[in-house]
Amino acid sequence: MSDDTMISTPAGIGVSLVDGDPVVRHARQLMLRSEKYEVRSYATCAALLADPRSRDYPCIILDLEMEDVDGQDLLRQMRATGWRGKALLLDGLHPDSPMLQEAERHGDQVLERTVGDRALLTAIAGSIDHSWAGWNAVG
């Protein structure tokens, strides 16, 4: 297999999923696992912050429409504890939003909350720094 083929596979790459809606969270978790991503899901931002393994996953999918969510603060806290990944923020932010501008500075993306599976998978693949591949393979 060529290196390009190995880089494009999501097997063993971790994604943290934060969504307060258990039905949406479960459906996305199943979809991501079916695509061979390792997934850790959380009902709250506090749960994500409390899990030291979340720092090992290069991508966070965060629903910004959850109650009491300050996405910027969450990402600042994650980065302050050593996380160096990218975030996919699910919301419908206005193009002039300070959150959108900060997200762009860090290489994060803001997507519509109702993003489809294919578009979400494309965004995840584009957000992954492939030097992370294999760090979190479960064995």
Side-chain angles (χ1 to χ4, degrees):
M1 242 192 272
S2 74
D3 287 343
D4 290 342
T5 303
M6 294 189 67
I7 286 174
S8 66
T9 181
I13 294 177
V15 174
S16 295
L17 174 63
V18 186
D19 195 312
D21 183 330
V23 173
V24 171
R25 186 175 64 250
H26 184 69
R28 285 199 169 129
Q29 183 176 8
L30 289 175
M31 181 273 298
L32 291 168
R33 285 188 174 157
S34 75
E35 295 292 327
K36 309 295 185 224
Y37 286 99
E38 294 295 327
V39 183
R40 295 184 71 79
S41 69
Y42 308 90
T44 66
C45 293
L48 173 79
L49 289 169
D51 181 4
R53 287 217 40 220
S54 66
R55 278 54 168 195
D56 297 334
Y57 282 23
C59 181
I60 296 174
I61 300 170
L62 174 61
D63 181 355
L64 294 175
E65 292 185 7
M66 295 181 346
E67 194 172 304
D68 298 327
V69 171
D70 181 341
Q72 289 176 326
D73 185 52
L74 170 74
L75 295 176
R76 282 185 204 116
Q77 288 183 56
M78 287 293 289
R79 288 181 173 115
T81 61
W83 181 72
R84 57 183 177 91
K86 302 289 185 237
L88 302 176
L89 307 169
L90 305 182
D91 195 29
L93 295 175
H94 187 273
D96 296 330
S97 166
M99 175 63 148
L100 181 57
Q101 293 169 4
E102 183 165 333
E104 289 174 352
R105 275 196 304 276
H106 291 283
D108 301 327
Q109 292 182 49
V110 179
L111 304 168
E112 289 292 326
R113 185 171 192 261
T114 57
V115 65
D117 291 350
R118 286 290 135 214
L120 184 59
L121 289 168
T122 298
I124 293 168
S127 75
I128 301 294
D129 172 355
H130 291 283
S131 65
W132 283 60
W135 278 22
N136 61 347
V138 175

